[in-house]
mmCIF file of all heavy atoms in Angstrom:
data_model
loop_
_atom_site.group_PDB
_atom_site.id
_atom_site.type_symbol
_atom_site.label_atom_id
_atom_site.label_comp_id
_atom_site.label_asym_id
_atom_site.label_seq_id
_atom_site.Cartn_x
_atom_site.Cartn_y
_atom_site.Cartn_z
ATOM 1 N N LYS A 260 -42.290 14.703 -20.618
ATOM 2 C CA LYS A 260 -42.722 15.625 -21.647
ATOM 3 C C LYS A 260 -42.578 17.096 -21.278
ATOM 4 O O LYS A 260 -42.680 17.461 -20.135
ATOM 5 C CB LYS A 260 -44.264 15.341 -22.086
ATOM 6 C CG LYS A 260 -44.463 14.009 -22.585
ATOM 7 C CD LYS A 260 -46.022 13.849 -22.928
ATOM 8 C CE LYS A 260 -46.310 12.421 -23.612
ATOM 9 N NZ LYS A 260 -47.699 12.297 -23.715
ATOM 10 N N THR A 261 -42.466 17.949 -22.272
ATOM 11 C CA THR A 261 -42.383 19.419 -22.104
ATOM 12 C C THR A 261 -43.144 20.062 -23.296
ATOM 13 O O THR A 261 -43.197 19.555 -24.362
ATOM 14 C CB THR A 261 -40.921 19.864 -21.992
ATOM 15 O OG1 THR A 261 -40.965 21.285 -21.581
ATOM 16 C CG2 THR A 261 -40.129 19.779 -23.298
ATOM 17 N N GLY A 262 -43.627 21.256 -22.885
ATOM 18 C CA GLY A 262 -44.363 22.062 -23.891
ATOM 19 C C GLY A 262 -45.670 22.555 -23.273
ATOM 20 O O GLY A 262 -45.681 23.114 -22.338
ATOM 21 N N LEU A 263 -46.822 22.365 -24.092
ATOM 22 C CA LEU A 263 -48.133 22.681 -23.595
ATOM 23 C C LEU A 263 -48.246 21.942 -22.137
ATOM 24 O O LEU A 263 -47.770 20.811 -22.011
ATOM 25 C CB LEU A 263 -49.175 22.201 -24.490
ATOM 26 C CG LEU A 263 -49.198 22.836 -25.869
ATOM 27 C CD1 LEU A 263 -50.391 22.358 -26.609
ATOM 28 C CD2 LEU A 263 -49.220 24.423 -25.884
ATOM 29 N N PRO A 264 -49.035 22.523 -21.197
ATOM 30 C CA PRO A 264 -49.798 23.841 -21.382
ATOM 31 C C PRO A 264 -48.960 25.066 -20.933
ATOM 32 O O PRO A 264 -47.978 24.954 -20.187
ATOM 33 C CB PRO A 264 -50.929 23.620 -20.338
ATOM 34 C CG PRO A 264 -50.274 22.830 -19.226
ATOM 35 C CD PRO A 264 -49.286 21.859 -19.968
ATOM 36 N N TYR A 265 -49.440 26.130 -21.413
ATOM 37 C CA TYR A 265 -48.836 27.475 -20.906
ATOM 38 C C TYR A 265 -49.800 28.003 -19.783
ATOM 39 O O TYR A 265 -50.960 27.878 -19.755
ATOM 40 C CB TYR A 265 -48.942 28.521 -22.021
ATOM 41 C CG TYR A 265 -47.863 28.316 -23.082
ATOM 42 C CD1 TYR A 265 -48.068 27.605 -24.213
ATOM 43 C CD2 TYR A 265 -46.615 28.905 -22.909
ATOM 44 C CE1 TYR A 265 -47.150 27.396 -25.168
ATOM 45 C CE2 TYR A 265 -45.654 28.707 -23.924
ATOM 46 C CZ TYR A 265 -45.874 27.949 -25.035
ATOM 47 O OH TYR A 265 -44.869 27.878 -25.923
ATOM 48 N N ILE A 266 -49.131 28.765 -18.796
ATOM 49 C CA ILE A 266 -49.746 29.594 -17.878
ATOM 50 C C ILE A 266 -49.230 31.098 -18.022
ATOM 51 O O ILE A 266 -48.206 31.201 -18.872
ATOM 52 C CB ILE A 266 -49.507 29.107 -16.363
ATOM 53 C CG1 ILE A 266 -47.968 28.906 -16.096
ATOM 54 C CG2 ILE A 266 -50.261 27.914 -16.017
ATOM 55 C CD1 ILE A 266 -47.192 30.128 -15.723
ATOM 56 N N TRP A 267 -49.842 31.955 -17.460
ATOM 57 C CA TRP A 267 -49.376 33.378 -17.570
ATOM 58 C C TRP A 267 -48.651 33.632 -16.269
ATOM 59 O O TRP A 267 -49.256 33.669 -15.331
ATOM 60 C CB TRP A 267 -50.615 34.220 -17.649
ATOM 61 C CG TRP A 267 -50.262 35.690 -17.801
ATOM 62 C CD1 TRP A 267 -50.110 36.696 -16.720
ATOM 63 C CD2 TRP A 267 -50.018 36.481 -18.975
ATOM 64 N NE1 TRP A 267 -49.802 37.937 -17.196
ATOM 65 C CE2 TRP A 267 -49.717 37.880 -18.607
ATOM 66 C CE3 TRP A 267 -49.911 36.170 -20.394
ATOM 67 C CZ2 TRP A 267 -49.450 38.802 -19.571
ATOM 68 C CZ3 TRP A 267 -49.696 37.087 -21.247
ATOM 69 C CH2 TRP A 267 -49.378 38.457 -20.810
ATOM 70 N N HIS A 268 -47.253 33.764 -16.443
ATOM 71 C CA HIS A 268 -46.420 34.189 -15.287
ATOM 72 C C HIS A 268 -46.496 35.591 -15.099
ATOM 73 O O HIS A 268 -45.988 36.509 -15.945
ATOM 74 C CB HIS A 268 -45.022 33.674 -15.559
ATOM 75 C CG HIS A 268 -44.150 33.722 -14.342
ATOM 76 N ND1 HIS A 268 -42.756 33.952 -14.493
ATOM 77 C CD2 HIS A 268 -44.385 33.774 -13.147
ATOM 78 C CE1 HIS A 268 -42.212 33.999 -13.299
ATOM 79 N NE2 HIS A 268 -43.200 33.980 -12.372
ATOM 80 N N SER A 269 -47.088 36.101 -13.995
ATOM 81 C CA SER A 269 -47.515 37.532 -13.855
ATOM 82 C C SER A 269 -46.410 38.443 -13.476
ATOM 83 O O SER A 269 -46.373 39.622 -13.879
ATOM 84 C CB SER A 269 -48.639 37.604 -12.903
ATOM 85 O OG SER A 269 -48.254 37.260 -11.597
ATOM 86 N N LYS A 270 -45.459 38.071 -12.646
ATOM 87 C CA LYS A 270 -44.468 39.018 -12.150
ATOM 88 C C LYS A 270 -43.039 38.487 -12.182
ATOM 89 O O LYS A 270 -42.796 37.341 -11.831
ATOM 90 C CB LYS A 270 -44.887 39.726 -10.821
ATOM 91 C CG LYS A 270 -44.803 38.634 -9.610
ATOM 92 C CD LYS A 270 -45.075 39.420 -8.375
ATOM 93 C CE LYS A 270 -44.731 38.713 -7.126
ATOM 94 N NZ LYS A 270 -45.529 37.503 -6.807
ATOM 95 N N ALA A 271 -42.145 39.402 -12.466
ATOM 96 C CA ALA A 271 -40.676 38.991 -12.479
ATOM 97 C C ALA A 271 -40.174 39.173 -11.044
ATOM 98 O O ALA A 271 -40.442 40.145 -10.347
ATOM 99 C CB ALA A 271 -39.826 39.831 -13.350
ATOM 100 N N SER A 272 -39.360 38.193 -10.563
ATOM 101 C CA SER A 272 -38.820 38.292 -9.178
ATOM 102 C C SER A 272 -37.566 39.248 -9.448
ATOM 103 O O SER A 272 -37.086 39.485 -10.479
ATOM 104 C CB SER A 272 -38.431 36.985 -8.685
ATOM 105 O OG SER A 272 -37.724 36.189 -9.696
ATOM 106 N N ASN A 273 -37.040 39.762 -8.230
ATOM 107 C CA ASN A 273 -35.912 40.738 -8.373
ATOM 108 C C ASN A 273 -34.683 40.103 -8.760
ATOM 109 O O ASN A 273 -34.174 39.252 -8.078
ATOM 110 C CB ASN A 273 -35.865 41.315 -6.843
ATOM 111 C CG ASN A 273 -34.932 42.430 -6.805
ATOM 112 O OD1 ASN A 273 -33.733 42.389 -7.310
ATOM 113 N ND2 ASN A 273 -35.106 43.572 -6.153
ATOM 114 N N PRO A 274 -34.075 40.593 -9.800
ATOM 115 C CA PRO A 274 -32.928 39.958 -10.382
ATOM 116 C C PRO A 274 -31.664 40.080 -9.350
ATOM 117 O O PRO A 274 -30.792 39.210 -9.485
ATOM 118 C CB PRO A 274 -32.554 40.701 -11.602
ATOM 119 C CG PRO A 274 -33.365 41.989 -11.577
ATOM 120 C CD PRO A 274 -34.534 41.638 -10.688
ATOM 121 N N PHE A 275 -31.620 41.068 -8.640
ATOM 122 C CA PHE A 275 -30.529 41.211 -7.733
ATOM 123 C C PHE A 275 -30.558 40.218 -6.433
ATOM 124 O O PHE A 275 -29.600 39.545 -6.103
ATOM 125 C CB PHE A 275 -30.425 42.663 -7.183
ATOM 126 C CG PHE A 275 -30.097 43.717 -8.329
ATOM 127 C CD1 PHE A 275 -31.212 44.459 -8.810
ATOM 128 C CD2 PHE A 275 -28.879 43.789 -8.769
ATOM 129 C CE1 PHE A 275 -30.871 45.311 -9.826
ATOM 130 C CE2 PHE A 275 -28.634 44.739 -9.776
ATOM 131 C CZ PHE A 275 -29.625 45.463 -10.307
#
Side-chain angles (χ1 to χ4, degrees):
K260 291 181 180 178
T261 188
L263 300 182
Y265 284 93
I266 50 84
W267 180 269
H268 187 208
S269 66
K270 69 175 194 289
S272 46
N273 185 312
F275 296 100

